[in-house]
Amino acid sequence: MKRPILLISILLILLPCLAAEEKKEETARYEQALEEYRNDNFSEAFDIFEKLIAGGYSSYKLYYNAGNAAFKAGDIPSAILNYERALLLKPFDEDARYNLEIARTFTTDKLEVIPEIFFIRWFNMLSLLMHTNAWASLSLACFVLSLGLLAVYLFSSRYRLKKMTFIGAVVIFLISIFSFSLAIRSKALTADNDEAIVFAPVVTGTSSPGSSGNELFVIHEGTKVEVEDKLGEWYEIKLSDGTVGWVPVDAVKKIIP
């Protein structure tokens, strides 16, 4: 009995130490990448940033600096990919948005974009201000608070208090619903995001998966698409102008892997 307790105690002591050591190593590699960038070794800097991302690390600064390093190294698709990832974490950041627009000017395809209704665009950006779980927690807290106010309304005998608690319960319940909607949208834009960036220099979209399909369009690296479906080693993608076709899986990289 004593041995398992001893082992558990050792693990509880070692785990925070290991986590701290891993964090220290991550910081050292990140600083190394920044140093390479400052020395104009942009490809080397991007390689380090990319390895950190592949290792599961995620932050606005990491994606933003990876985008800058990729852009300076001439890797436009990777620059666009990382600026898009950065904007999912800080949707109102002007630096990342400006750099993304600059990177897009280096792409070949200038597709017509179906305009997005302004309030939908603002709703999307608002949903990204907090993590999905944060919006969901806020929604739950407001729902519980509205129930508490409703209980006061039902059991109170004072007219003014009943009036105030009823109005408060309605308002907070509406905030709960709105927060829940933002949580759902945040999840759709992050965890369930199906947008991708074309990485192949040239890729042909076909009417069906496989080389036997009819050619529908030709797109180039750096173009942003939306993955609609997957069949084997083929993605069905939709372009910004609404055109749909099939391309090889290795021709694109999803913004959220």
Side-chain angles (χ1 to χ4, degrees), residues 72-94:
K72 290 286 189 177
D75 188 347
I76 300 302
S78 293
I80 292 174
L81 179 73
N82 283 286
Y83 288 141
E84 291 278 4
R85 287 172 172 172
L87 285 169
L88 286 177
L89 298 180
K90 291 183 68 173
F92 290 98
D93 187 80
E94 292 297 328

Side-chain angles (χ1 to χ4, degrees), residues 78-167:
S78 293
I80 292 174
L81 179 73
N82 283 286
Y83 288 141
E84 291 278 4
R85 287 172 172 172
L87 285 169
L88 286 177
L89 298 180
K90 291 183 68 173
F92 290 98
D93 187 80
E94 292 297 328
D95 292 334
R97 192 165 296 279
Y98 176 78
N99 288 359
L100 175 60
E101 293 304 320
I102 294 297
R104 283 174 174 167
T105 64
F106 287 82
T107 60
T108 302
D109 302 318
K110 310 298 178 187
L111 300 173
E112 180 182 352
V113 179
I114 298 176
E116 190 176 50
I117 302 173
F118 77 94
F119 62 81
I120 294 179
R121 181 172 67 253
W122 279 91
F123 184 79
N124 289 341
M125 296 178 77
L126 180 61
S127 72
L128 293 172
L129 286 179
M130 293 199 304
H131 192 272
T132 302
N133 292 340
W135 284 120
S137 298
L138 177 61
S139 175
L140 181 60
C142 287
F143 179 72
V144 172
L145 181 57
S146 68
L147 289 180
L149 291 173
L150 186 61
V152 174
Y153 164 77
L154 291 173
F155 294 103
S156 176
S157 58
R158 297 171 57 187
Y159 172 76
R160 187 173 181 181
L161 182 60
K162 287 174 71 72
K163 182 179 178 181
M164 291 176 61
T165 53
F166 178 77
I167 294 172

Side-chain angles (χ1 to χ4, degrees), residues 174-188:
L174 291 176
I175 294 174
S176 174
I177 294 175
F178 186 64
S179 300
F180 185 69
S181 301
L182 289 171
I184 293 174
R185 189 57 186 159
S186 176
K187 184 175 184 295

Side-chain angles (χ1 to χ4, degrees), residues 240-252:
S240 59
D241 62 1
T243 305
V244 177
W246 292 85
V247 300
V249 167
D250 59 5
V252 302

